[in-house]
């Protein structure tokens, strides 16, 4: 066999090997995406965490001077994910401060307390101890583990209030996206004993300690989410990751949903969402449900025609006037609830 024929034979053999490898790899990837939420969840985690760190970095110029921080406090020594940071004005280190307990978003599969660090410091400057808290992420864990963890975090802060210079009689729960749902569920558990008994979950603090909630862009009704799963790769991944199934039992979805479980004892709420956020109907539904119960609710919603459109987590982009309005309204709401300490 001459050299050119030998070379062509080798090239054909290499090409067939390459094609066979691609077929095998593609088939394995297809099977992985069909049989486990992990591949899709990791894609979402990478994208969300990249965006979260960029958003936090963009807020750095807005952080005022004189904020003191306590990092990496273990609210449960037996849980490696059970960490929180506390931010407070240095000038008020010697006095107990009202607590803003902020829960980060990330679709239950992404995010960390570090991604809201600068936003927490901006709020802390007004005279608060702002707690940025971590919880375990799906699919490594599933519902209701994060709620259980956050309940332990709140109990830890209440039990160690004197040591940490916190006013445990003045808690405000806050959160964005998935964190907003977690915050609203904790508030529902604290304010509705029947709901807590039905789910077997605890908020970690009493309703007497809870002054209010600040909720941005949250998914407050799992029934709506479940209805949209067939047409949404993202929601399918989130549901599969957090509940262990793309079609979790109605009882589980119902227990997760805050809208049907609010009561007249639910604390005062500030709720906001962007007009082009796919989750906007859920914030509106929660606000309406609370108003029907006679709960004090303040909202910042924009009409569907508002330009430019405000997307998910719009409130963190302080270069926009709407986001600055959201921060101003949040501060005013908090002042009305807690009367923060001053120097």
């Amino acid at each position: 066999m001459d050299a050119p024929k030998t070379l062509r034979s080798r090239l054909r053999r290499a090409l067939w090997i390459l094609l066979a490898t691609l077929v095998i790899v593609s088939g394995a990837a297809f099977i992985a995406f069909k049989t486990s939420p992990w591949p899709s969840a990791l894609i979402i985690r990478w994208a969300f965490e990249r965006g979260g760190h960029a958003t936090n970095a963009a807020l750095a110029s807005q952080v005022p001077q004189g904020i003191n921080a306590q990092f990496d406090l273990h609210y449960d020594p037996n849980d490696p994910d059970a960490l929180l940071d506390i931010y407070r004005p240095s000038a008020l280190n010697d006095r107990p401060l009202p607590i803003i307990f902020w829960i980060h978003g990330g679709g239950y599969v992404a995010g960390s307390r570090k991604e809201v660090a600068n936003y927490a410091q901006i709020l802390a400057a007004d005279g608060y101890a702002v707690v940025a808290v971590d919880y375990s992420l799906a699919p490594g864990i599933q519902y209701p583990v994060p709620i259980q963890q956050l309940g332990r975090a709140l109990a830890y802060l209440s039990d160690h209030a004197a040591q940490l210079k916190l006013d445990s009689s003045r808690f405000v729960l806050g959160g964005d996206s998935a964190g907003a749902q977690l915050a609203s569920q904790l508030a529902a558990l604290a304010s509705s004993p029947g709901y807590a008994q039905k789910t077997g979950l605890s908020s970690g603090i009493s309703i007497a300690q809870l002054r209010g909630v600040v909720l941005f862009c949250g998914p407050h009704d799992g029934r709506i989410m479940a209805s949209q799963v067939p047409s949404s790769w993202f929601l399918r991944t989130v549901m599969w990751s957090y509940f262990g199934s793309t079609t979790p039992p109605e009882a589980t979805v119902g227990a997760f949903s805050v809208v049907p479980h609010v009561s007249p004892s639910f604390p005062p709420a500030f709720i906001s969402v962007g007009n082009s956020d796919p989750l906007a109907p859920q914030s509106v539904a929660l606000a309406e449900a609370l108003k029907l119960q006679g709960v004090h609710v303040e909202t910042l919603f924009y009409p569907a025609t508002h330009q430019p459109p405000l997307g998910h987590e719009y409130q963190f982009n302080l270069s926009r006037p709407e986001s600055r309005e959201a921060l101003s309204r949040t501060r005013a709401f908090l002042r009305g609830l807690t009367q923060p300490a001053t120097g």
Side-chain angles (χ1 to χ4, degrees):
M1 183 179 293
D2 57 31
K5 290 183 178 180
T6 301
L7 179 59
R8 286 196 296 270
S9 177
R10 289 176 178 174
L11 287 173
R12 282 196 297 269
R13 189 180 304 114
L15 180 59
W16 279 112
I17 292 172
L18 176 61
L19 290 173
T21 302
L22 289 174
V23 169
I24 292 170
V25 170
S26 298
F30 177 80
I31 292 171
F33 276 87
K34 285 292 186 180
T35 58
S36 170
W38 273 104
S40 294
L42 291 175
I43 291 171
I44 293 170
R45 184 176 299 177
W46 174 82
F48 275 27
E49 292 184 351
R50 185 181 182 192
H53 287 299
T55 297
N56 185 60
L59 289 172
S61 63
Q62 304 293 323
V63 175
Q65 298 293 316
I67 303 298
N68 184 52
Q70 294 171 275
F71 294 121
D72 303 327
L73 299 179
H74 282 264
Y75 61 83
D76 182 348
N78 298 316
D79 183 347
D81 294 331
L83 296 167
L84 57 82
D85 302 331
I86 303 177
Y87 301 94
R88 56 191 295 142
S90 301
L92 302 177
N93 266 340
D94 61 341
R95 67 184 71 181
L97 300 182
I99 305 158
I100 301 175
F101 184 82
W102 197 271
I103 309 170
H104 70 80
Y108 310 100
V109 301
S112 79
R113 70 193 191 282
K114 300 302 183 184
E115 294 174 22
V116 295
N118 287 333
Y119 188 77
Q121 292 180 80
I122 291 169
L123 294 179
D126 287 347
Y128 304 101
V130 180
V131 177
V133 60
D134 269 351
Y135 51 91
S136 298
L137 302 176
I141 58 82
Q142 292 170 346
Y143 176 83
V145 171
I147 281 289
Q148 295 168 333
Q149 291 173 306
L150 294 167
R152 289 195 290 271
L154 288 167
Y156 166 86
L157 294 169
S158 184
D159 293 343
H160 294 81
Q163 173 189 344
L164 297 172
K165 295 291 193 301
L166 304 174
D167 183 349
S168 62
S169 70
R170 294 188 289 175
F171 275 92
V172 176
L173 305 181
D176 56 280
S177 193
Q181 185 278 325
L182 291 163
S184 67
Q185 188 171 11
L186 288 165
L189 290 167
S191 58
S192 178
Y195 176 48
Q197 183 176 15
K198 179 180 178 180
T199 60
L201 299 172
S202 170
S203 65
I205 56 174
S206 69
I207 189 59
Q209 295 172 275
L210 184 53
R211 297 298 182 91
V213 295
V214 175
L215 308 173
F216 283 100
C217 315
H220 302 291
D221 196 329
R223 298 168 300 180
I224 297 176
M225 294 169 62
S227 70
Q228 296 172 337
V229 162
S231 60
S232 171
W233 166 80
F234 173 77
L235 285 178
R236 180 177 184 272
T237 300
V238 167
M239 295 286 279
W240 195 0
S241 298
Y242 196 45
F243 297 113
S245 171
T246 57
T247 55
E250 288 185 12
T252 300
V253 174
F256 162 90
S257 301
V258 177
V259 169
H261 296 294
V262 297
S263 72
S265 299
F266 197 94
F270 176 77
I271 304 174
S272 185
V273 68
N275 65 312
S276 70
D277 188 333
L279 297 179
Q282 301 201 40
S283 288
V284 173
L286 178 61
E288 291 176 349
L290 290 172
K291 289 175 182 178
L292 285 174
Q293 294 291 333
V295 175
H296 174 75
V297 182
E298 297 182 21
T299 60
L300 180 56
F301 299 149
Y302 292 86
T305 55
H306 182 82
Q307 294 294 327
L310 301 174
H312 191 59
E313 300 277 42
Y314 85 95
Q315 76 280 359
F316 287 138
N317 183 5
L318 293 182
S319 66
R320 282 187 159 184
E322 298 93 344
S323 306
R324 294 193 294 273
E325 180 184 13
L327 179 60
S328 177
R329 290 279 303 274
T330 298
R331 284 171 157 163
F333 178 75
L334 291 169
R335 283 194 299 272
L337 295 178
T338 62
Q339 299 176 357
T342 57

